[in-house]
Short mmCIF file of all heavy atoms in Angstrom, two decimals:
data_model
loop_
_atom_site.label_atom_id
_atom_site.label_comp_id
_atom_site.label_asym_id
_atom_site.label_seq_id
_atom_site.Cartn_x
_atom_site.Cartn_y
_atom_site.Cartn_z
N ILE A 46 131.33 222.46 39.84
CA ILE A 46 131.82 222.28 41.20
C ILE A 46 131.74 220.80 41.52
O ILE A 46 130.73 220.15 41.26
CB ILE A 46 131.05 223.15 42.22
CG1 ILE A 46 131.72 223.11 43.58
CG2 ILE A 46 129.59 222.79 42.29
CD1 ILE A 46 131.28 224.20 44.52
N VAL A 47 132.84 220.26 42.02
CA VAL A 47 132.95 218.82 42.29
C VAL A 47 133.24 218.63 43.77
O VAL A 47 134.16 219.24 44.32
CB VAL A 47 134.08 218.19 41.44
CG1 VAL A 47 134.21 216.70 41.72
CG2 VAL A 47 133.83 218.44 39.96
N GLY A 48 132.45 217.79 44.41
CA GLY A 48 132.62 217.54 45.84
C GLY A 48 133.44 216.31 46.12
O GLY A 48 133.50 215.38 45.33
N ALA A 49 134.11 216.32 47.26
CA ALA A 49 134.85 215.17 47.79
C ALA A 49 134.52 215.12 49.27
O ALA A 49 135.12 215.83 50.08
CB ALA A 49 136.34 215.32 47.55
N ASN A 50 133.54 214.31 49.64
CA ASN A 50 132.98 214.39 50.99
C ASN A 50 133.76 213.65 52.07
O ASN A 50 133.39 213.70 53.23
CB ASN A 50 131.52 213.94 51.00
CG ASN A 50 131.34 212.49 50.62
OD1 ASN A 50 132.03 211.98 49.76
ND2 ASN A 50 130.39 211.83 51.25
N LYS A 51 134.87 213.02 51.75
CA LYS A 51 135.62 212.28 52.77
C LYS A 51 137.02 212.82 52.99
O LYS A 51 137.87 212.16 53.58
CB LYS A 51 135.72 210.80 52.38
CG LYS A 51 134.40 210.06 52.38
CD LYS A 51 133.93 209.83 53.79
CE LYS A 51 132.69 208.98 53.82
NZ LYS A 51 132.26 208.68 55.16
N THR A 52 137.30 214.05 52.53
CA THR A 52 138.64 214.60 52.74
C THR A 52 138.83 215.02 54.19
O THR A 52 137.87 215.25 54.92
CB THR A 52 138.89 215.82 51.83
OG1 THR A 52 137.88 216.79 52.09
CG2 THR A 52 138.88 215.44 50.37
N GLU A 53 140.07 215.11 54.58
CA GLU A 53 140.42 215.56 55.94
C GLU A 53 140.97 216.97 55.86
O GLU A 53 141.55 217.36 54.84
CB GLU A 53 141.45 214.63 56.56
CG GLU A 53 140.94 213.22 56.74
CD GLU A 53 142.00 212.30 57.30
OE1 GLU A 53 143.19 212.66 57.29
OE2 GLU A 53 141.63 211.21 57.74
N ALA A 54 140.79 217.75 56.91
CA ALA A 54 141.28 219.13 56.94
C ALA A 54 141.66 219.49 58.36
O ALA A 54 141.08 218.98 59.32
CB ALA A 54 140.20 220.08 56.44
N PRO A 55 142.64 220.38 58.51
CA PRO A 55 143.01 220.82 59.86
C PRO A 55 141.98 221.81 60.41
O PRO A 55 141.47 222.66 59.69
CB PRO A 55 144.36 221.50 59.66
CG PRO A 55 144.38 221.90 58.22
CD PRO A 55 143.52 220.92 57.49
N ASP A 56 141.69 221.70 61.67
CA ASP A 56 140.82 222.65 62.36
C ASP A 56 141.63 223.93 62.56
O ASP A 56 142.69 223.91 63.19
CB ASP A 56 140.39 222.07 63.70
CG ASP A 56 139.42 222.96 64.47
OD1 ASP A 56 139.45 224.19 64.25
OD2 ASP A 56 138.66 222.43 65.27
N PRO A 57 141.17 225.07 62.03
CA PRO A 57 141.96 226.31 62.16
C PRO A 57 142.19 226.74 63.60
O PRO A 57 143.20 227.36 63.92
CB PRO A 57 141.13 227.35 61.42
CG PRO A 57 140.05 226.63 60.72
CD PRO A 57 139.96 225.26 61.28
N ALA A 58 141.26 226.40 64.49
CA ALA A 58 141.39 226.83 65.89
C ALA A 58 142.37 225.98 66.68
O ALA A 58 143.14 226.49 67.48
CB ALA A 58 140.02 226.80 66.57
N THR A 59 142.37 224.66 66.43
CA THR A 59 143.19 223.76 67.24
C THR A 59 144.34 223.12 66.49
O THR A 59 145.28 222.63 67.09
CB THR A 59 142.33 222.63 67.82
OG1 THR A 59 141.85 221.82 66.74
CG2 THR A 59 141.17 223.18 68.63
N GLY A 60 144.24 223.07 65.16
CA GLY A 60 145.25 222.38 64.36
C GLY A 60 145.02 220.89 64.27
O GLY A 60 145.72 220.19 63.57
N ASN A 61 144.03 220.37 65.01
CA ASN A 61 143.70 218.95 64.95
C ASN A 61 143.06 218.61 63.60
O ASN A 61 142.39 219.45 62.99
CB ASN A 61 142.73 218.56 66.07
CG ASN A 61 143.35 218.73 67.43
OD1 ASN A 61 144.56 218.60 67.60
ND2 ASN A 61 142.53 219.02 68.43
N ILE A 62 143.22 217.39 63.17
CA ILE A 62 142.64 216.95 61.90
C ILE A 62 141.16 216.65 62.09
O ILE A 62 140.76 215.96 63.03
CB ILE A 62 143.37 215.69 61.38
CG1 ILE A 62 144.83 216.02 61.05
CG2 ILE A 62 142.66 215.12 60.16
CD1 ILE A 62 145.00 217.03 59.93
N ILE A 63 140.34 217.17 61.18
CA ILE A 63 138.90 216.88 61.17
C ILE A 63 138.68 215.82 60.11
O ILE A 63 138.90 216.05 58.91
CB ILE A 63 138.08 218.14 60.83
CG1 ILE A 63 138.36 219.24 61.83
CG2 ILE A 63 136.59 217.80 60.79
CD1 ILE A 63 137.74 220.57 61.46
N ASN A 64 138.26 214.63 60.53
CA ASN A 64 137.98 213.55 59.60
C ASN A 64 136.69 213.84 58.82
O ASN A 64 135.73 214.37 59.37
CB ASN A 64 137.84 212.21 60.33
CG ASN A 64 139.15 211.78 60.93
OD1 ASN A 64 140.20 211.95 60.33
ND2 ASN A 64 139.08 211.22 62.12
N ASP A 65 136.68 213.48 57.55
CA ASP A 65 135.51 213.63 56.68
C ASP A 65 135.00 215.07 56.64
O ASP A 65 133.80 215.32 56.59
CB ASP A 65 134.39 212.68 57.09
CG ASP A 65 134.81 211.22 57.06
OD1 ASP A 65 135.77 210.90 56.35
OD2 ASP A 65 134.17 210.40 57.73
N ALA A 66 135.91 216.03 56.65
CA ALA A 66 135.53 217.44 56.60
C ALA A 66 134.90 217.79 55.24
O ALA A 66 133.99 218.59 55.17
CB ALA A 66 136.75 218.32 56.84
#
Side-chain angles (χ1 to χ4, degrees):
I46 189 164
V47 179
N50 64 322
K51 293 287 186 177
T52 57
E53 297 177 345
D56 183 334
T59 65
N61 295 331
I62 296 296
I63 302 172
N64 293 321
D65 301 338

